């Protein structure tokens, strides 16, 4: 028996891991969307404080020393938001849109975004007829790890973003040192 409300507070934690397996479900997309958005909020909550913020008039003078210390701590910490099983969020345009913002703007806060899934198309959504916005996380990839060769639609998407042959020049777009581990033929990646 508890005598107080349960509190969820990870404010001082340096590492937070949330397992959403029990609350993410294809049968309840609204619930799933809410929980992944809350989890993301927890993950990026303390990353975007700048020296301009601390100097501005938006922070009362009495709190500035606290925020200066916070800024020093934030600048020294590695900030990683890692999300596995991205296929679970494929139809969640709100969450995917937030991840696209993180991919676009997180770099200035030192945020490293790690997304994992079995299929490349779990990171790309073309325009749809129902008005769902295009979300293109593949355009922000800085590192790519493939555990199996892409096939079918995934191969088409892979070639669109990562084909090492420049179609205008016919030359390789990636360094020769990287090509040693990739099998190529005249049509590009095989």
């Amino acid at each position: 028996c508890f005598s107080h409300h349960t509190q969820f507070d990870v404010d001082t934690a340096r590492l937070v891991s949330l397992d959403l397996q029990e609350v993410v479900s294809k049968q309840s997309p609204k619930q799933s969307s809410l929980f992944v958005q809350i989890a993301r909020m927890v993950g990026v909550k303390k990353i975007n404080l700048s020296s301009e913020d601390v100097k501005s008039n938006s922070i009362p003078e009495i709190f500035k020393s606290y925020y200066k210390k916070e800024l020093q701590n934030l600048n020294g910490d590695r900030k990683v938001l890692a999300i596995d099983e991205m296929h679970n969020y494929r139809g969640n345009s709100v969450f995917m849109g937030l991840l696209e913002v993180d991919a676009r703007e997180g770099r200035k806060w030192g945020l490293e975004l790690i997304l994992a899934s079995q299929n490349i198309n779990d990171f790309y959504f073309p325009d749809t007829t129902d008005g769902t916005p295009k979300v293109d996380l593949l355009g922000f990839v800085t590192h790519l790890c493939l555990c199996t060769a892409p096939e079918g639609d995934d191969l088409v998407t892979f070639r669109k973003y990562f084909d090492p042959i420049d179609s205008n020049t016919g030359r390789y777009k990636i360094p020769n040192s990287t090509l040693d581990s990739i099998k190529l033929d005249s049509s590009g990646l095989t």
Side-chain angles (χ1 to χ4, degrees):
C1 176
F2 295 100
S3 61
H4 301 288
H5 295 286
T6 302
Q7 292 184 344
F8 177 73
D9 186 6
V10 294
D11 195 44
T12 59
R14 295 180 58 88
L15 176 67
V16 177
S17 176
L18 301 173
D19 184 351
L20 302 179
Q21 184 174 349
E22 299 299 320
V23 293
V24 173
S25 153
K26 298 285 185 204
Q27 289 74 33
S28 184
K30 286 184 181 180
Q31 172 183 304
S32 298
S33 180
L34 176 65
F35 277 106
V36 296
Q37 289 176 58
I38 290 170
R40 179 205 159 267
M41 182 184 70
V42 167
V44 299
K45 175 175 148 179
K46 290 182 65 176
I47 65 162
N48 59 351
L49 181 66
S50 70
S51 58
E52 290 80 24
D53 293 332
V54 174
K55 293 174 189 173
S56 76
N57 292 330
S58 64
I59 297 176
E61 202 61 43
I62 192 170
F63 299 118
K64 289 199 184 225
S65 63
Y66 168 80
Y67 282 103
K68 283 179 186 176
K69 208 178 294 183
E70 278 293 299
L71 181 61
Q72 289 172 343
N73 290 338
L74 283 174
N75 288 340
D77 286 344
R78 182 174 178 207
K79 299 166 222 48
V80 178
L81 178 62
I83 301 169
D84 194 9
E85 306 294 350
M86 285 295 295
H87 63 275
N88 286 324
Y89 316 115
R90 187 161 165 65
N92 189 335
S93 61
V94 173
F95 181 65
M96 296 305 286
L98 290 170
L99 288 180
E100 186 172 33
V101 170
D102 292 339
R104 287 178 182 276
E105 300 176 7
R107 186 180 66 237
K108 69 182 168 192
W109 309 114
L111 177 66
E112 181 181 346
L113 191 59
I114 300 173
L115 307 174
S117 191
Q118 290 79 13
N119 299 311
I120 290 175
N121 281 321
D122 291 336
F123 306 100
Y124 171 74
F125 310 99
D127 295 326
T128 60
T129 56
D130 68 355
T132 305
K134 176 181 177 181
V135 176
D136 183 4
L137 296 172
L138 292 174
F140 303 102
V141 168
T142 57
H143 293 80
L144 179 66
C145 176
L146 296 175
C147 295
T148 59
E151 298 176 351
D153 290 343
D154 279 339
L155 181 57
V156 171
T157 302
F158 181 84
R159 282 189 170 145
K160 176 181 176 185
Y161 285 90
F162 307 109
D163 194 342
I165 304 293
D166 184 319
S167 59
N168 294 325
T169 65
R171 304 181 98 182
Y172 294 119
K173 295 187 277 187
I174 55 180
N176 286 335
S177 59
T178 307
L179 292 174
D180 294 336
S181 62
I182 300 175
K183 184 179 175 186
L184 298 171
D185 68 13
S186 61
S187 64
L189 191 68
T190 59

